[in-house]
Amino acid sequence: MNRNDALQSYKRFADLVARIFERSGFIVMRSFEIQRGLVQRTIEVDLLLTAGEVKSVVEVTISRSRTAPLSQISAAIIIAKRAQHALKADNALVVTNGRRDNLPLARLEMDGVTLLAIEDLVALSSPFPELVSELVEMDRELSSALGNFDDGLTMLAWDTSSLLSTLKTGQTQTEASEAAYWEDLSKDAAPKRRGAELAAELRSIPAGRGGSVTTSAGRQGTAWRLFEIVCYEAMQYAFEEHFHNWRDQEDVGGDTNRFDVIAKVKGTDVFSRMLIENFASRYVIFEFKNYENPLKSNIIHVTEKYLFPRALRATAIIVSPRGLTESADQAAQGALRDAGKLMLSLEREVLCQMLEEKDRGTSPGLRLEAILDSFLQQLGR
């Protein structure tokens, strides 16, 4: 699944959710923005449902993981509640392709947001067999690589009559001043700026070893060392649901060679599962190379020495401003083909986009899966 495929899957799922509600008797407005003059913010929401005088906002999110990351669900909650307040809507919903047993229901109920999991969508669309078929197909597409982690989509006879009644008759809202409401939400959302801040700082570091520089966050040092430091923090933030037990600057073989960072795989998403089950990798090495030009093949050969499939350390991710030269890419392909060692290139700008997407609740694992897919698809003989 490349980046475009991931986006198309999201759009198809959101459109399917919209059609389910349309067939259930709602007027549905798709993907729109709300401008708020008082706070000078733009709110984006996926769907607005209308039934008579009752309005409900819907935020749609998809996951390629057995368990949807809490940060992803939390971001969807904030978006839905902001849109609900801005539109003075009666209800706020979060719709996901996840299974109900694997979602943080208590958090959603506490925040007053209605959760619709895949089982609920099946129940809502049960009068319309063609929509059920599309849901089943969508579920297979999004969870195909999870194998026996998940059973097939079970057609449970969920009772959605009370839900439909609520969405069509409305419910009482707690009144609050707009300024106070946004101030309260901003407290919840404050950590979600971390990705944007790290992305801005990474972009402010000039490529190359360079002399002393100052980042956009005010940190000073040589360009190459600042690149390592900020990349390390960026990876920990972006991939907190995928990796843990981070350790940096390890000697290799008792000599002066060092790799930058190593972490243990813990995720339940497709990318993490593939590393563990298909590439003998419980641990991943990260290298941060602030070179002005695309990396040459010698970097690949050095990194390859740090990988030991028998020690469950067969994967490396190399972050750099410009990616790989053609010869380096061929060397990486040869290492996988001949020795089973996987080395993926992650360009700085792509990492920055991942960080910004993480703030908005999109799992960076989708991008990593796309990078892995692309690398495997171009692997030669």
Side-chain angles (χ1 to χ4, degrees):
M1 175 182 284
N2 59 37
R3 181 188 177 190
N4 186 59
D5 288 340
L7 179 61
Q8 290 303 314
S9 293
Y10 168 78
K11 289 182 176 179
R12 285 175 48 221
F13 183 66
D15 178 68
L16 178 55
V17 171
R19 286 186 286 122
I20 289 172
F21 280 114
E22 284 174 336
R23 295 291 295 274
S24 299
F26 296 89
I27 297 172
V28 179
M29 182 180 294
R30 292 165 166 80
S31 187
F32 64 98
E33 296 181 348
I34 311 159
Q35 299 288 340
R36 300 302 293 167
L38 178 60
V39 293
Q40 295 296 309
R41 298 195 189 188
T42 298
I43 311 162
E44 298 180 2
V45 67
D46 290 318
L47 305 174
L48 174 64
L49 313 180
T50 304
E53 298 298 318
V54 180
K55 293 186 293 186
S56 304
V57 295
V58 180
E59 181 65 16
V60 178
T61 181
I62 66 171
S63 174
R64 293 272 286 166
S65 173
R66 182 189 186 192
T67 304
L70 180 58
S71 61
Q72 183 175 336
I73 297 296
S74 297
I77 292 171
I78 291 172
I79 293 170
K81 288 187 71 65
R82 283 178 172 169
Q84 179 187 19
H85 182 78
L87 288 170
K88 301 189 183 304
D90 301 275
N91 306 290
L93 298 85
V94 169
V95 179
T96 175
N97 67 303
R99 311 298 173 87
R100 183 169 284 277
D101 288 346
N102 296 327
L103 295 168
L105 300 185
R107 174 65 193 269
L108 287 168
E109 291 166 356
M110 179 183 70
D111 286 341
V113 175
T114 301
L115 168 70
L116 292 188
I118 191 76
E119 296 94 334
D120 302 295
L121 294 177
V122 170
L124 282 171
S125 59
S126 58
F128 319 109
E130 72 281 8
L131 295 181
V132 173
S133 296
E134 286 190 57
L135 269 176
V136 172
E137 187 60 34
M138 196 80 205
D139 179 71
R140 287 173 178 163
E141 175 185 322
L142 293 174
S143 63
S144 61
L146 295 177
N148 61 6
F149 249 51
D150 290 314
D151 298 326
L153 183 57
T154 304
M155 302 302 178
L156 297 176
W158 287 66
D159 180 11
T160 56
S161 57
S162 60
L163 168 66
L164 292 174
S165 176
T166 298
L167 296 181
K168 292 181 179 180
T169 60
Q171 60 186 30
T172 303
Q173 284 187 280
T174 301
E175 293 297 327
S177 72
E178 183 167 342
Y181 185 85
W182 280 88
E183 181 181 359
D184 181 62
L185 277 182
S186 67
K187 292 175 183 177
D188 267 350
K192 299 307 177 186
R193 288 290 304 164
R194 181 61 175 157
E197 292 166 357
L198 287 167
E201 190 170 14
L202 262 182
R203 291 180 176 123
S204 73
I205 300 171
R209 298 187 67 83
S212 179
V213 299
T214 302
T215 71
S216 61
R219 284 192 263 199
Q220 294 183 325
T222 55
W224 69 269
R225 183 57 182 148
L226 287 172
F227 186 76
E228 287 183 349
I229 293 170
V230 180
C231 277
Y232 187 13
E233 294 179 11
M235 299 302 283
Q236 287 179 295
Y237 172 73
F239 303 109
E240 61 184 346
E241 277 105 13
H242 301 79
F243 306 106
H244 68 151
N245 289 354
W246 297 82
R247 297 179 63 182
D248 64 344
Q249 293 292 325
E250 290 284 341
D251 289 333
V252 177
D255 56 27
T256 58
N257 290 327
R258 290 170 175 260
F259 58 75
D260 292 324
V261 173
I262 188 170
K264 187 173 183 179
V265 182
K266 72 167 184 176
T268 59
D269 60 298
V270 172
F271 178 76
S272 300
R273 286 283 309 283
M274 290 181 73
L275 292 188
I276 293 170
E277 297 183 2
N278 302 113
F279 293 98
S281 294
R282 272 289 183 180
Y283 304 90
V284 174
I285 285 175
F286 298 86
E287 289 274 72
F288 310 125
K289 303 295 184 183
N290 192 36
Y291 286 35
E292 292 183 77
N293 300 310
L295 303 181
K296 296 181 179 179
S297 57
N298 65 304
I299 299 296
I300 298 299
H301 296 314
V302 170
T303 302
E304 184 181 357
K305 295 178 181 178
Y306 304 154
L307 300 179
F308 303 100
R310 287 187 177 275
L312 305 182
R313 196 170 82 193
T315 299
I317 296 176
I318 306 171
V319 184
S320 65
R322 306 279 186 261
L324 305 182
T325 60
E326 183 177 352
S327 63
D329 188 59
Q330 290 174 351
Q333 292 185 38
L336 178 60
R337 187 172 51 244
D338 301 334
K341 298 178 180 180
L342 175 66
M343 287 173 281
L344 299 176
S345 170
L346 177 59
E347 294 186 25
R348 173 174 59 184
E349 181 55 30
V350 176
L351 175 57
C352 289
Q353 293 170 10
M354 288 178 173
L355 290 165
E356 292 163 342
E357 290 169 357
K358 174 69 180 292
D359 283 350
R360 298 192 292 267
T362 299
S363 172
L366 292 172
R367 290 286 199 113
L368 288 179
E369 186 186 347
I371 291 170
L372 176 57
D373 283 349
S374 177
F375 180 74
L376 294 178
Q377 287 167 355
Q378 68 180 1
L379 190 64
R381 301 181 67 180

